[in-house]
């Protein structure tokens, strides 16, 4: 009898642009201050991708290249690349297609997933299913966003939060019981009202009027999103533990979406986890949307041990949210 096939994370890659946008830089752009931003969000600085023509794929490519180098494989061995993003290079074709070309991943098919801040958890679950089906051996899942392309730097309610970055993981078949073991994913389109981009889609194509009205930027009603995020992320994480008979003692790490330190704290408290078990890098990168979770794994990779139980949790535009249980598969 063969063991059940699971999808293990076998390598992590990441990329953040060099340019930093600090709270003090933002003080010069909008009516805000470092103290307010730090106490209300936990953020101190974010990275911004600067340079003409540079796009989300230009962050996906170095993240995936790094992951291939770490694992000692060529991009040509990748079967499928899934990119979670709300800032694709183009409306079409998919950023995954462009990135595969730039990587020389000639044998891969790929596509983008639009799930905003759940843009890593949704494709992670999908990618794991491709591996579990037995049809694919190497699936790369990437969360990447160039949020600076859709942020209005005159809007203090949004410009203080977001930054640019990309992270990626390689999924491979595992028969030791490690990998992506369970996921609870949710969506509620009635949340669209509170977090969306007003124009540029088929509902309201770009026009001079839409540009003049600043409708190609992120629109967010922060307090409504905050309340839904606290409840959504905490509830689903608690549910994931319960249905797998896990207690807080079983969990080595919580990897929460990095949108606001107060949302992270609420989720950790609800799960009964002490702060030492929570990955937090929001102070350095801000909210990179689909990039937050893989960038945490990237920063913490060396501390992770084979067999560690990890819960990843996210909440964002859609609304979309969810939690995923991963048993770590290697020591680095
Ligand atoms: O990742 C995608 C999902 N997104 C999220 O999870 C974001 C969720 N929301 C949030 O993180 C928070 O709602 C924000 C960080 C966006 C805003 O924080 P808040 O504590 O909800 O602030 P608020 O909008 O309730 O505003 C409180 C006060 C207001 O002043 P008054 O009316 O009390 O005098 C705002 O005008 O803070 C003021 N304010 C600011 N002051 C300085 C709002 N933004 C700023 C700012 N600097 N940047």
């Amino acid at each position: 009898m063969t063991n059940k096939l699971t999808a293990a994370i076998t390598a992590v890659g990441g990329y953040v642009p060099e340019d930093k946008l600090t709270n003090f830089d933002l003080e010069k752009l909008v009516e805000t201050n470092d103290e307010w931003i730090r106490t209300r969000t936990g953020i101190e600085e974010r990275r911004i991708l600067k340079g003409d023509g540079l796009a989300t794929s230009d962050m996906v490519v170095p993240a995936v290249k790094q992951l291939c180098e770490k694992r000692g494989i060529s991009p040509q061995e990748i079967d499928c690349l899934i990119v979670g993003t709300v800032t694709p290079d183009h409306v079409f074709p998919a950023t995954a297609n462009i990135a595969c070309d730039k990587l020389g991943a000639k044998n891969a098919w790929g596509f983008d997933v639009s799930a905003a801040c759940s843009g890593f958890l949704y494709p992670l679950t999908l990618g794991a299913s491709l591996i579990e089906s037995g049809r694919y051996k190497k699936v790369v899942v990437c969360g990447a966003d160039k949020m600076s392309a859709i942020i209005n730097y005159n809007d203090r309610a949004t410009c203080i939060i977001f930054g640019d970055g990309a992270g990626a993981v390689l999924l491979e078949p595992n028969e030791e019981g490690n990998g992506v073991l369970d996921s609870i994913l949710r969506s509620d389109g009635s949340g669209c009202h509170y977090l969306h981009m007003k124009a540029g889609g088929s509902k309201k194509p770009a026009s001079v009027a839409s540009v003049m009205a600043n409708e190609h930027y992120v629109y967010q009603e922060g307090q409504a999103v905050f309340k839904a995020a606290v409840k959504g992320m905490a509830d689903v994480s608690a549910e994931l533990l319960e249905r797998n008979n896990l207690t807080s003692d079983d969990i080595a790490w919580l990897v929460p979406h990095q949108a606001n330190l107060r949302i992270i704290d609420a989720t950790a408290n609800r799960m009964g986890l002490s702060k030492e078990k929570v990955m937090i890098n929001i102070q350095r990168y801000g909210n990179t949307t689909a990039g937050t979770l893989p960038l945490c794994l990237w920063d913490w990779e060396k501390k992770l041990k084979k067999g560690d139980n990890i819960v990843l949790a996210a909440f964002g535009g859609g609304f979309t949210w969810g939690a995923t249980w991963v048993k770590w598969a290697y020591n680095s």
Side-chain angles (χ1 to χ4, degrees):
M1 204 180 85
T2 53
N3 290 332
K4 186 178 176 281
L5 210 58
T6 54
I9 294 176
T10 55
V12 184
Y15 176 82
V16 287
E18 281 192 2
D19 277 299
K20 292 177 181 171
L21 181 69
T22 66
N23 292 350
F24 300 103
D25 295 328
L26 285 167
E27 284 181 1
K28 293 176 200 140
L29 298 176
V30 288
E31 189 62 40
T32 191
N33 58 77
D34 172 59
E35 213 247 327
W36 191 94
I37 302 172
R38 269 191 294 107
T39 52
R40 304 306 290 172
T41 71
I43 303 169
E44 291 168 21
E45 60 186 34
R46 330 100 195 101
R47 302 300 182 94
I48 303 293
L49 184 65
K50 289 188 178 164
D52 265 358
L54 290 182
T56 296
S57 69
D58 296 300
M59 299 190 290
V60 171
V61 168
V64 177
K65 265 192 187 154
Q66 188 184 67
L67 159 164
C68 288
E69 277 160 23
K70 280 188 186 172
R71 185 70 182 133
I73 63 164
S74 140
Q76 295 197 23
E77 292 176 61
I78 299 170
D79 297 317
C80 180
L81 171 68
I82 315 176
V83 178
T85 187
V86 285
T87 52
D89 293 23
H90 298 274
V91 172
F92 76 92
T95 303
N97 306 142
I98 296 164
C100 280
D101 178 50
K102 290 180 179 174
L103 283 161
K106 292 189 190 319
N107 300 307
W109 61 292
F111 55 95
D112 293 355
V113 168
S114 173
C117 297
S118 306
F120 183 69
L121 282 194
Y122 273 36
L124 181 66
T125 305
L126 253 172
S129 307
L130 295 180
I131 296 286
E132 287 160 10
S133 77
R135 292 180 66 173
Y136 301 97
K137 304 280 180 246
K138 287 184 171 49
V139 175
V140 174
V141 174
C142 187
D145 271 300
K146 183 189 169 189
M147 293 306 292
S148 61
I150 57 169
I151 291 300
N152 180 353
Y153 286 95
N154 293 315
D155 175 11
R156 71 176 183 174
T158 52
C159 73
I160 54 147
I161 302 173
F162 293 98
D164 302 339
V169 299
L170 176 65
L171 295 176
E172 295 186 84
N174 184 284
E175 291 190 8
E176 294 181 304
N178 294 323
V180 179
L181 299 188
D182 195 19
S183 260
I184 302 177
L185 301 177
R186 303 253 191 262
S187 114
D188 176 4
S190 69
C192 169
H193 173 76
Y194 304 106
L195 182 51
H196 63 278
M197 189 192 290
K198 294 195 178 299
S202 56
K203 184 177 179 185
K204 197 173 200 187
S207 65
V208 171
S210 69
V211 171
M212 296 305 286
N214 288 328
E215 289 177 339
H216 296 271
Y217 294 124
V218 171
Y219 170 85
Q220 175 172 268
E221 293 184 20
Q223 274 194 17
V225 180
F226 185 93
K227 278 185 204 147
V230 167
K231 183 164 169 25
M233 230 161 90
D235 279 357
V236 82
S237 304
E239 192 184 334
L240 184 77
L241 293 194
E242 208 173 293
R243 95 170 180 191
N244 289 289
N245 295 316
L246 294 166
T247 69
S248 54
D249 290 340
D250 300 315
I251 304 304
W253 295 100
L254 170 67
V255 192
H257 174 52
Q258 313 280 307
N260 188 313
L261 195 52
R262 290 180 291 147
I263 301 174
I264 295 172
D265 287 345
T267 306
N269 284 340
R270 175 74 181 280
M271 293 170 75
L273 289 177
S274 60
K275 207 134 190 202
E276 303 78 66
K277 289 185 169 184
V278 185
M279 295 188 193
I280 298 171
N281 58 15
I282 191 171
Q283 67 280 8
R284 291 188 288 133
Y285 305 144
N287 180 352
T288 54
T289 303
T292 59
L293 300 185
L295 281 173
C296 280
L297 294 178
W298 184 55
D299 275 349
W300 265 261
E301 187 188 18
K302 285 199 168 63
K303 291 193 183 160
L304 301 177
K305 295 194 187 67
K306 189 172 175 177
D308 276 355
N309 287 309
I310 299 175
V311 172
L312 302 104
F315 186 96
F319 292 140
T320 58
W321 69 105
T324 296
W325 170 31
V326 171
K327 203 179 260 290
W328 201 249
Y330 63 98
N331 298 313
S332 13

